[in-house]
Amino acid sequence: MSYAGPTRCPNCGSTNLLRDPEQAEIVCTRCGLVIETDLMDYGPEWRAFDDDQRTDRVRVGAPITYTIHDKGLTTTIDWRDKAIEGKNITPDKRAQIRRMRKWHRRIRIYDAQERNLANALSEITRIADKLSIPKNVIETAAVIYRRAIALGLVRGRSIQSMAAATLYIACRTCGHVRTLDEIADAAGMNKKEIGRSFRFLVNELGIFVPPLTPKDYVARLLSRLRMRSEAEEIAYKTLEYASQLRLTSGRGPMGIAAAAVYVASVLTGERKTQREIAEFARVTEVTIRNRYKSLVKNIMFEVHL
DNA sequence: AAGACGAAAGTGGTTGA
DNA sequence: TCAACAACTTTCGTCTT
């Protein structure tokens, strides 16, 4: 059976796509974007009958029982090459014990990573569920986290912040607009730490994260303010002018989006107060005023020409 | 009285020596 | 590592509707 799927990653343009029938996905090996899910699944042992199973069986690697049966009770083989009574032991016994020790250690590291992964994935899904983030974004986050763990980037950092940062990266690369604030809220931790982990991961993994533009925020603001679609058009037009006039560079995109929405609210007559918009946009009224001021000044000038 | 406006001082993050 | 800096916030008094 042949399958003509995508050949290029829509996010970073890489052609190194990994098609993984067991995980029923096509994944970009460069940025970790999950391009397609729910491919035909060939392996009878791993057939996923519903979404829950697909998550549990395919994604998490080790089944959840793995972490339960162990519960952190690990064993160690003594480093001394002695029998229990303190006698020396024969050379071939000694060699055997050393081999056992080696493998025991290796297996334990593997265990620790799997545990970390399972932990992180449940954290990721927990945050994502709170925000109703779609499944493919969660999957992308999982892939990114796996890469991070494989490169040893997670050690010494809190699983929570790494999980949240991973989810944020996934949102950005998948074009699912969420603010760092929202993620931080849902994760129950501060924005700063997640932001730091975010930047760290982006640097270390070399992921291309498309920058957010004011436009990305407008639709969300309008829907949260329950405004009509004609306002949307005006807001987008305003932003277009603004970016042509280079009013957008270097400014926080949310402030500009909020100002554009305010302009639209005034022009359409379904006026919203600056405070209302500021609240949803998570910027202050003053910021809206400043953006709005320069918007009006420059665009009026433009119109008069 | 509510909303809009703007000045001034404060805050947290980035940059460049 | 530290100071300068830009963007944004906080606060508060004044103006407008």
Side-chain angles (χ1 to χ4, degrees):
Chain A
M1 192 190 292
S2 73
Y3 170 82
T7 55
R8 193 171 276 278
C9 171
N11 175 42
C12 69
S14 167
T15 50
N16 284 330
L17 305 184
L18 177 68
R19 179 151 188 250
D20 187 343
E22 277 190 16
Q23 296 182 353
E25 289 165 354
I26 295 178
V27 177
C28 172
T29 57
R30 186 152 147 238
C31 67
L33 180 72
V34 176
I35 296 159
E36 223 166 276
T37 53
D38 305 325
L39 297 175
M40 180 72 82
D41 193 346
Y42 304 106
E45 314 266 52
W46 288 99
R47 251 163 64 196
F49 295 101
D50 56 39
D51 278 353
D52 285 343
Q53 283 184 10
R54 192 150 32 234
T55 323
D56 289 348
R57 293 184 174 180
V58 179
R59 259 290 143 221
V60 181
I64 196 73
T65 50
Y66 210 143
T67 54
I68 290 170
H69 97 271
D70 178 50
K71 280 191 172 168
L73 298 170
T74 52
T75 55
T76 320
I77 298 176
D78 195 4
W79 55 272
R80 284 164 299 206
D81 292 327
K82 304 266 184 174
I84 187 85
E85 332 81 77
K87 280 186 202 152
N88 284 327
I89 48 177
T90 59
D92 60 328
K93 265 280 183 221
R94 190 150 58 203
Q96 190 196 351
I97 287 172
R98 285 187 176 156
R99 279 198 303 277
M100 285 168 68
R101 229 186 340 247
K102 188 160 90 188
W103 282 101
H104 189 255
R105 203 181 55 234
R106 287 183 182 171
I107 286 167
R108 227 179 58 206
I109 289 166
Y110 182 70
D111 275 358
Q113 287 198 350
E114 286 296 331
R115 258 203 306 278
N116 185 316
L117 187 60
N119 232 329
L121 293 183
S122 75
E123 180 69 11
I124 289 171
T125 38
R126 187 185 68 80
I127 302 168
D129 282 351
K130 260 193 191 172
L131 298 169
S132 323
I133 288 172
K135 195 148 185 58
N136 71 312
V137 179
I138 302 176
E139 301 277 302
T140 299
V143 173
I144 296 169
Y145 197 91
R146 278 169 174 273
R147 283 184 56 208
I149 223 173
L151 291 170
L153 303 176
V154 182
R155 282 191 83 163
R157 276 164 245 273
S158 84
I159 294 178
Q160 275 200 331
S161 79
M162 291 303 259
T166 304
L167 187 60
Y168 183 58
I169 295 174
C171 286
R172 295 281 297 268
T173 53
C174 292
H176 182 82
V177 182
R178 289 292 153 126
T179 60
L180 195 51
D181 279 298
E182 286 175 286
I183 305 254
D185 269 1
M189 44 190 318
N190 74 358
K191 188 176 150 185
K192 203 169 130 191
E193 202 179 330
I194 299 175
R196 203 185 309 136
S197 299
F198 165 72
R199 259 165 287 138
F200 171 75
L201 281 176
V202 168
N203 281 334
E204 294 294 319
L205 295 173
I207 299 174
F208 172 68
V209 180
L212 282 169
T213 65
K215 208 175 162 182
D216 294 319
Y217 293 117
V218 166
R220 300 191 59 216
L221 276 179
L222 289 171
S223 81
R224 296 188 71 174
L225 290 161
R226 305 185 179 286
M227 291 175 70
R228 273 185 243 282
S229 53
E230 62 179 326
E232 190 173 339
E233 217 172 297
I234 294 173
Y236 283 144
K237 260 254 143 50
T238 310
L239 287 179
E240 213 174 291
Y241 283 131
S243 72
Q244 276 171 18
L245 295 168
R246 317 247 163 236
L247 264 46
T248 51
S249 64
R251 313 287 151 113
M254 197 47 126
I256 298 169
V261 168
Y262 180 67
V263 169
S265 89
V266 172
L267 292 183
T268 56
E270 44 177 339
R271 198 174 180 119
K272 304 283 176 193
T273 64
Q274 292 178 353
R275 188 177 310 159
E276 255 180 303
I277 299 174
E279 195 184 322
F280 285 122
R282 302 234 209 181
V283 293
T284 58
E285 301 161 62
V286 181
T287 301
I288 294 182
R289 277 202 288 277
N290 289 336
R291 295 293 83 77
Y292 161 73
K293 210 168 49 180
S294 65
L295 232 42
V296 169
K297 197 171 83 192
N298 290 284
I299 289 174
M300 292 309 272
F301 184 66
E302 171 85 351
V303 168
H304 283 307
L305 284 176

mmCIF file of all heavy atoms in Angstrom, chain A residues 9-47:
data_model
loop_
_atom_site.group_PDB
_atom_site.id
_atom_site.type_symbol
_atom_site.label_atom_id
_atom_site.label_comp_id
_atom_site.label_asym_id
_atom_site.label_seq_id
_atom_site.Cartn_x
_atom_site.Cartn_y
_atom_site.Cartn_z
ATOM 1 N N CYS A 9 7.535 20.021 5.819
ATOM 2 C CA CYS A 9 6.915 20.480 7.056
ATOM 3 C C CYS A 9 6.336 21.881 6.871
ATOM 4 O O CYS A 9 7.044 22.797 6.455
ATOM 5 C CB CYS A 9 7.950 20.505 8.184
ATOM 6 S SG CYS A 9 7.352 21.291 9.671
ATOM 7 N N PRO A 10 5.062 22.075 7.139
ATOM 8 C CA PRO A 10 4.440 23.393 6.950
ATOM 9 C C PRO A 10 4.987 24.450 7.899
ATOM 10 O O PRO A 10 4.839 25.645 7.659
ATOM 11 C CB PRO A 10 2.965 23.133 7.220
ATOM 12 C CG PRO A 10 2.922 21.882 8.006
ATOM 13 C CD PRO A 10 4.117 21.074 7.619
ATOM 14 N N ASN A 11 5.629 23.997 8.953
ATOM 15 C CA ASN A 11 6.158 24.971 9.909
ATOM 16 C C ASN A 11 7.551 25.435 9.542
ATOM 17 O O ASN A 11 7.781 26.616 9.333
ATOM 18 C CB ASN A 11 6.155 24.370 11.313
ATOM 19 C CG ASN A 11 6.787 25.282 12.325
ATOM 20 O OD1 ASN A 11 6.560 26.482 12.298
ATOM 21 N ND2 ASN A 11 7.610 24.740 13.184
ATOM 22 N N CYS A 12 8.514 24.496 9.414
ATOM 23 C CA CYS A 12 9.899 24.921 9.216
ATOM 24 C C CYS A 12 10.402 24.608 7.824
ATOM 25 O O CYS A 12 11.511 24.976 7.462
ATOM 26 C CB CYS A 12 10.818 24.288 10.266
ATOM 27 S SG CYS A 12 11.025 22.519 10.056
ATOM 28 N N GLY A 13 9.599 23.906 7.014
ATOM 29 C CA GLY A 13 9.999 23.655 5.649
ATOM 30 C C GLY A 13 10.942 22.471 5.475
ATOM 31 O O GLY A 13 11.372 22.165 4.374
ATOM 32 N N SER A 14 11.266 21.809 6.572
ATOM 33 C CA SER A 14 12.168 20.680 6.492
ATOM 34 C C SER A 14 11.523 19.532 5.720
ATOM 35 O O SER A 14 10.322 19.316 5.773
ATOM 36 C CB SER A 14 12.523 20.204 7.898
ATOM 37 O OG SER A 14 13.148 18.945 7.841
ATOM 38 N N THR A 15 12.361 18.777 4.959
ATOM 39 C CA THR A 15 11.815 17.631 4.239
ATOM 40 C C THR A 15 12.083 16.334 4.992
ATOM 41 O O THR A 15 11.743 15.264 4.527
ATOM 42 C CB THR A 15 12.423 17.538 2.826
ATOM 43 O OG1 THR A 15 13.841 17.619 2.940
ATOM 44 C CG2 THR A 15 11.910 18.643 1.939
ATOM 45 N N ASN A 16 12.708 16.467 6.144
ATOM 46 C CA ASN A 16 12.973 15.269 6.942
ATOM 47 C C ASN A 16 11.761 14.904 7.773
ATOM 48 O O ASN A 16 11.679 15.221 8.952
ATOM 49 C CB ASN A 16 14.171 15.501 7.870
ATOM 50 C CG ASN A 16 15.470 15.431 7.104
ATOM 51 O OD1 ASN A 16 15.562 14.715 6.114
ATOM 52 N ND2 ASN A 16 16.454 16.190 7.563
ATOM 53 N N LEU A 17 10.834 14.231 7.132
ATOM 54 C CA LEU A 17 9.628 13.840 7.836
ATOM 55 C C LEU A 17 9.724 12.371 8.206
ATOM 56 O O LEU A 17 10.182 11.543 7.423
ATOM 57 C CB LEU A 17 8.402 14.084 6.961
ATOM 58 C CG LEU A 17 8.245 15.507 6.439
ATOM 59 C CD1 LEU A 17 6.941 15.639 5.679
ATOM 60 C CD2 LEU A 17 8.302 16.517 7.566
ATOM 61 N N LEU A 18 9.292 12.078 9.396
ATOM 62 C CA LEU A 18 9.322 10.702 9.853
ATOM 63 C C LEU A 18 7.903 10.159 9.860
ATOM 64 O O LEU A 18 7.023 10.696 10.523
ATOM 65 C CB LEU A 18 9.919 10.636 11.262
ATOM 66 C CG LEU A 18 9.945 9.246 11.892
ATOM 67 C CD1 LEU A 18 10.925 8.356 11.156
ATOM 68 C CD2 LEU A 18 10.289 9.349 13.360
ATOM 69 N N ARG A 19 7.716 9.106 9.098
ATOM 70 C CA ARG A 19 6.402 8.493 9.091
ATOM 71 C C ARG A 19 6.441 7.309 10.016
ATOM 72 O O ARG A 19 7.244 6.395 9.860
ATOM 73 C CB ARG A 19 6.071 8.021 7.676
ATOM 74 C CG ARG A 19 4.731 7.365 7.649
ATOM 75 C CD ARG A 19 4.087 7.522 6.302
ATOM 76 N NE ARG A 19 2.731 7.033 6.433
ATOM 77 C CZ ARG A 19 2.324 5.906 5.866
ATOM 78 N NH1 ARG A 19 3.126 5.190 5.148
ATOM 79 N NH2 ARG A 19 1.077 5.522 6.037
ATOM 80 N N ASP A 20 5.593 7.345 10.993
ATOM 81 C CA ASP A 20 5.641 6.327 12.030
ATOM 82 C C ASP A 20 4.296 5.612 12.128
ATOM 83 O O ASP A 20 3.372 6.101 12.748
ATOM 84 C CB ASP A 20 5.987 6.999 13.367
ATOM 85 C CG ASP A 20 6.226 5.959 14.442
ATOM 86 O OD1 ASP A 20 5.819 4.810 14.224
ATOM 87 O OD2 ASP A 20 6.806 6.314 15.470
ATOM 88 N N PRO A 21 4.197 4.450 11.480
ATOM 89 C CA PRO A 21 2.910 3.751 11.458
ATOM 90 C C PRO A 21 2.441 3.337 12.848
ATOM 91 O O PRO A 21 1.242 3.346 13.127
ATOM 92 C CB PRO A 21 3.188 2.499 10.613
ATOM 93 C CG PRO A 21 4.523 2.688 10.009
ATOM 94 C CD PRO A 21 5.248 3.704 10.820
ATOM 95 N N GLU A 22 3.391 3.021 13.723
ATOM 96 C CA GLU A 22 2.971 2.578 15.051
ATOM 97 C C GLU A 22 2.326 3.711 15.825
ATOM 98 O O GLU A 22 1.433 3.513 16.628
ATOM 99 C CB GLU A 22 4.162 2.043 15.850
ATOM 100 C CG GLU A 22 4.457 0.607 15.511
ATOM 101 C CD GLU A 22 5.449 0.005 16.462
ATOM 102 O OE1 GLU A 22 5.670 0.588 17.543
ATOM 103 O OE2 GLU A 22 6.000 -1.051 16.128
ATOM 104 N N GLN A 23 2.823 4.908 15.589
ATOM 105 C CA GLN A 23 2.242 6.029 16.318
ATOM 106 C C GLN A 23 1.199 6.733 15.477
ATOM 107 O O GLN A 23 0.634 7.732 15.892
ATOM 108 C CB GLN A 23 3.342 7.003 16.731
ATOM 109 C CG GLN A 23 4.287 6.328 17.695
ATOM 110 C CD GLN A 23 5.379 7.232 18.181
ATOM 111 O OE1 GLN A 23 5.513 8.355 17.694
ATOM 112 N NE2 GLN A 23 6.147 6.782 19.133
ATOM 113 N N ALA A 24 0.965 6.203 14.305
ATOM 114 C CA ALA A 24 -0.079 6.716 13.432
ATOM 115 C C ALA A 24 0.083 8.195 13.137
ATOM 116 O O ALA A 24 -0.852 8.972 13.191
ATOM 117 C CB ALA A 24 -1.466 6.460 14.039
ATOM 118 N N GLU A 25 1.328 8.578 12.858
ATOM 119 C CA GLU A 25 1.594 10.002 12.668
ATOM 120 C C GLU A 25 2.700 10.241 11.658
ATOM 121 O O GLU A 25 3.524 9.380 11.412
ATOM 122 C CB GLU A 25 2.085 10.624 13.978
ATOM 123 C CG GLU A 25 1.046 10.749 15.017
ATOM 124 C CD GLU A 25 1.656 11.009 16.362
ATOM 125 O OE1 GLU A 25 2.892 10.977 16.479
ATOM 126 O OE2 GLU A 25 0.892 11.240 17.284
ATOM 127 N N ILE A 26 2.701 11.455 11.130
ATOM 128 C CA ILE A 26 3.877 11.930 10.410
ATOM 129 C C ILE A 26 4.449 13.080 11.217
ATOM 130 O O ILE A 26 3.733 14.010 11.572
ATOM 131 C CB ILE A 26 3.531 12.404 8.990
ATOM 132 C CG1 ILE A 26 3.042 11.220 8.158
ATOM 133 C CG2 ILE A 26 4.729 13.045 8.332
ATOM 134 C CD1 ILE A 26 2.632 11.586 6.758
ATOM 135 N N VAL A 27 5.717 12.984 11.500
ATOM 136 C CA VAL A 27 6.337 13.956 12.388
ATOM 137 C C VAL A 27 7.530 14.584 11.699
ATOM 138 O O VAL A 27 8.293 13.911 11.020
ATOM 139 C CB VAL A 27 6.825 13.257 13.687
ATOM 140 C CG1 VAL A 27 7.540 14.240 14.579
ATOM 141 C CG2 VAL A 27 5.664 12.635 14.415
ATOM 142 N N CYS A 28 7.676 15.899 11.863
ATOM 143 C CA CYS A 28 8.868 16.583 11.349
ATOM 144 C C CYS A 28 10.011 16.348 12.315
ATOM 145 O O CYS A 28 9.895 16.629 13.505
ATOM 146 C CB CYS A 28 8.604 18.082 11.205
ATOM 147 S SG CYS A 28 10.097 19.006 10.806
ATOM 148 N N THR A 29 11.127 15.829 11.803
ATOM 149 C CA THR A 29 12.235 15.512 12.705
ATOM 150 C C THR A 29 13.011 16.751 13.107
ATOM 151 O O THR A 29 13.827 16.712 13.999
ATOM 152 C CB THR A 29 13.226 14.534 12.051
ATOM 153 O OG1 THR A 29 13.695 15.102 10.830
ATOM 154 C CG2 THR A 29 12.570 13.198 11.785
ATOM 155 N N ARG A 30 12.753 17.861 12.428
ATOM 156 C CA ARG A 30 13.513 19.062 12.772
ATOM 157 C C ARG A 30 12.837 19.861 13.880
ATOM 158 O O ARG A 30 13.442 20.180 14.883
ATOM 159 C CB ARG A 30 13.706 19.916 11.526
ATOM 160 C CG ARG A 30 14.609 21.094 11.795
ATOM 161 C CD ARG A 30 15.343 21.552 10.556
ATOM 162 N NE ARG A 30 15.529 22.987 10.625
ATOM 163 C CZ ARG A 30 15.073 23.822 9.703
ATOM 164 N NH1 ARG A 30 14.435 23.371 8.652
ATOM 165 N NH2 ARG A 30 15.278 25.101 9.836
ATOM 166 N N CYS A 31 11.550 20.172 13.696
ATOM 167 C CA CYS A 31 10.905 21.014 14.700
ATOM 168 C C CYS A 31 9.904 20.245 15.548
ATOM 169 O O CYS A 31 9.391 20.766 16.534
ATOM 170 C CB CYS A 31 10.214 22.210 14.046
ATOM 171 S SG CYS A 31 8.811 21.760 13.039
ATOM 172 N N GLY A 32 9.639 19.003 15.203
ATOM 173 C CA GLY A 32 8.784 18.196 16.066
ATOM 174 C C GLY A 32 7.306 18.358 15.814
ATOM 175 O O GLY A 32 6.476 17.814 16.530
ATOM 176 N N LEU A 33 6.940 19.101 14.806
ATOM 177 C CA LEU A 33 5.525 19.289 14.521
ATOM 178 C C LEU A 33 4.880 17.981 14.084
ATOM 179 O O LEU A 33 5.411 17.277 13.240
ATOM 180 C CB LEU A 33 5.361 20.328 13.405
ATOM 181 C CG LEU A 33 3.923 20.652 12.979
ATOM 182 C CD1 LEU A 33 3.238 21.466 14.053
ATOM 183 C CD2 LEU A 33 3.911 21.383 11.675
ATOM 184 N N VAL A 34 3.758 17.664 14.682
ATOM 185 C CA VAL A 34 3.004 16.496 14.242
ATOM 186 C C VAL A 34 2.105 16.934 13.087
ATOM 187 O O VAL A 34 1.155 17.688 13.280
ATOM 188 C CB VAL A 34 2.148 15.913 15.377
ATOM 189 C CG1 VAL A 34 1.307 14.764 14.864
ATOM 190 C CG2 VAL A 34 3.036 15.454 16.514
ATOM 191 N N ILE A 35 2.484 16.503 11.901
ATOM 192 C CA ILE A 35 1.816 17.040 10.724
ATOM 193 C C ILE A 35 0.494 16.347 10.472
ATOM 194 O O ILE A 35 -0.499 16.959 10.134
ATOM 195 C CB ILE A 35 2.735 16.916 9.490
ATOM 196 C CG1 ILE A 35 3.966 17.776 9.722
ATOM 197 C CG2 ILE A 35 2.010 17.341 8.223
ATOM 198 C CD1 ILE A 35 5.128 17.392 8.898
ATOM 199 N N GLU A 36 0.492 15.045 10.653
ATOM 200 C CA GLU A 36 -0.747 14.340 10.392
ATOM 201 C C GLU A 36 -0.931 13.238 11.414
ATOM 202 O O GLU A 36 0.016 12.560 11.787
ATOM 203 C CB GLU A 36 -0.708 13.732 8.997
ATOM 204 C CG GLU A 36 -2.009 13.920 8.250
ATOM 205 C CD GLU A 36 -1.805 13.623 6.795
ATOM 206 O OE1 GLU A 36 -1.349 14.525 6.053
ATOM 207 O OE2 GLU A 36 -2.101 12.492 6.414
ATOM 208 N N THR A 37 -2.148 13.094 11.877
ATOM 209 C CA THR A 37 -2.413 11.995 12.803
ATOM 210 C C THR A 37 -3.450 11.074 12.191
ATOM 211 O O THR A 37 -3.960 11.317 11.112
ATOM 212 C CB THR A 37 -2.943 12.522 14.151
ATOM 213 O OG1 THR A 37 -4.049 13.355 13.884
ATOM 214 C CG2 THR A 37 -1.896 13.286 14.886
ATOM 215 N N ASP A 38 -3.753 10.020 12.904
ATOM 216 C CA ASP A 38 -4.782 9.072 12.474
ATOM 217 C C ASP A 38 -4.534 8.468 11.109
ATOM 218 O O ASP A 38 -5.423 8.350 10.283
ATOM 219 C CB ASP A 38 -6.174 9.748 12.478
ATOM 220 C CG ASP A 38 -6.482 10.334 13.831
ATOM 221 O OD1 ASP A 38 -6.076 9.723 14.825
ATOM 222 O OD2 ASP A 38 -7.100 11.403 13.879
ATOM 223 N N LEU A 39 -3.272 8.133 10.842
ATOM 224 C CA LEU A 39 -2.990 7.385 9.634
ATOM 225 C C LEU A 39 -3.490 5.964 9.839
ATOM 226 O O LEU A 39 -3.766 5.543 10.950
ATOM 227 C CB LEU A 39 -1.476 7.339 9.391
ATOM 228 C CG LEU A 39 -0.793 8.665 9.155
ATOM 229 C CD1 LEU A 39 0.694 8.449 9.055
ATOM 230 C CD2 LEU A 39 -1.326 9.311 7.910
ATOM 231 N N MET A 40 -3.555 5.222 8.759
ATOM 232 C CA MET A 40 -3.891 3.807 8.885
ATOM 233 C C MET A 40 -2.852 3.132 9.756
ATOM 234 O O MET A 40 -1.657 3.349 9.613
ATOM 235 C CB MET A 40 -3.901 3.173 7.487
ATOM 236 C CG MET A 40 -4.232 1.712 7.502
ATOM 237 S SD MET A 40 -5.958 1.444 7.860
ATOM 238 C CE MET A 40 -6.645 1.716 6.237
ATOM 239 N N ASP A 41 -3.323 2.325 10.653
ATOM 240 C CA ASP A 41 -2.436 1.702 11.622
ATOM 241 C C ASP A 41 -2.284 0.224 11.291
ATOM 242 O O ASP A 41 -3.259 -0.507 11.209
ATOM 243 C CB ASP A 41 -3.065 1.888 13.015
ATOM 244 C CG ASP A 41 -2.088 1.562 14.111
ATOM 245 O OD1 ASP A 41 -1.048 0.954 13.795
ATOM 246 O OD2 ASP A 41 -2.373 1.915 15.256
ATOM 247 N N TYR A 42 -1.044 -0.233 11.073
ATOM 248 C CA TYR A 42 -0.859 -1.609 10.590
ATOM 249 C C TYR A 42 -0.645 -2.639 11.685
ATOM 250 O O TYR A 42 -0.911 -3.819 11.512
ATOM 251 C CB TYR A 42 0.320 -1.677 9.628
ATOM 252 C CG TYR A 42 0.168 -0.729 8.471
ATOM 253 C CD1 TYR A 42 0.919 0.440 8.385
ATOM 254 C CD2 TYR A 42 -0.770 -1.003 7.489
ATOM 255 C CE1 TYR A 42 0.750 1.303 7.335
ATOM 256 C CE2 TYR A 42 -0.939 -0.136 6.430
ATOM 257 C CZ TYR A 42 -0.182 1.009 6.358
ATOM 258 O OH TYR A 42 -0.348 1.868 5.325
ATOM 259 N N GLY A 43 -0.085 -2.225 12.781
ATOM 260 C CA GLY A 43 0.306 -3.212 13.790
ATOM 261 C C GLY A 43 -0.857 -3.672 14.641
ATOM 262 O O GLY A 43 -1.432 -2.894 15.376
ATOM 263 N N PRO A 44 -1.247 -4.948 14.538
ATOM 264 C CA PRO A 44 -2.413 -5.438 15.270
ATOM 265 C C PRO A 44 -2.241 -5.334 16.788
ATOM 266 O O PRO A 44 -3.197 -5.059 17.489
ATOM 267 C CB PRO A 44 -2.536 -6.895 14.842
ATOM 268 C CG PRO A 44 -1.240 -7.237 14.207
ATOM 269 C CD PRO A 44 -0.649 -5.968 13.705
ATOM 270 N N GLU A 45 -0.999 -5.505 17.275
ATOM 271 C CA GLU A 45 -0.797 -5.466 18.713
ATOM 272 C C GLU A 45 -1.091 -4.086 19.274
ATOM 273 O O GLU A 45 -1.460 -3.939 20.420
ATOM 274 C CB GLU A 45 0.658 -5.789 19.058
ATOM 275 C CG GLU A 45 1.201 -6.982 18.332
ATOM 276 C CD GLU A 45 1.054 -8.234 19.143
ATOM 277 O OE1 GLU A 45 -0.066 -8.499 19.599
ATOM 278 O OE2 GLU A 45 2.057 -8.943 19.298
ATOM 279 N N TRP A 46 -0.866 -3.113 18.450
ATOM 280 C CA TRP A 46 -0.942 -1.759 18.973
ATOM 281 C C TRP A 46 -2.133 -1.002 18.427
ATOM 282 O O TRP A 46 -2.149 0.203 18.400
ATOM 283 C CB TRP A 46 0.343 -1.002 18.643
ATOM 284 C CG TRP A 46 1.450 -1.505 19.458
ATOM 285 C CD1 TRP A 46 2.399 -2.399 19.089
ATOM 286 C CD2 TRP A 46 1.713 -1.182 20.823
ATOM 287 N NE1 TRP A 46 3.239 -2.659 20.124
ATOM 288 C CE2 TRP A 46 2.848 -1.920 21.209
ATOM 289 C CE3 TRP A 46 1.107 -0.351 21.763
ATOM 290 C CZ2 TRP A 46 3.382 -1.847 22.487
ATOM 291 C CZ3 TRP A 46 1.650 -0.275 23.032
ATOM 292 C CH2 TRP A 46 2.771 -1.023 23.372
ATOM 293 N N ARG A 47 -3.108 -1.736 17.922
ATOM 294 C CA ARG A 47 -4.238 -1.019 17.382
ATOM 295 C C ARG A 47 -4.898 -0.161 18.436
ATOM 296 O O ARG A 47 -5.072 -0.581 19.571
ATOM 297 C CB ARG A 47 -5.255 -1.998 16.804
ATOM 298 C CG ARG A 47 -5.265 -1.923 15.293
ATOM 299 C CD ARG A 47 -5.925 -3.104 14.689
ATOM 300 N NE ARG A 47 -7.323 -3.143 15.071
ATOM 301 C CZ ARG A 47 -8.063 -4.242 14.934
ATOM 302 N NH1 ARG A 47 -7.533 -5.341 14.480
ATOM 303 N NH2 ARG A 47 -9.320 -4.232 15.278
#
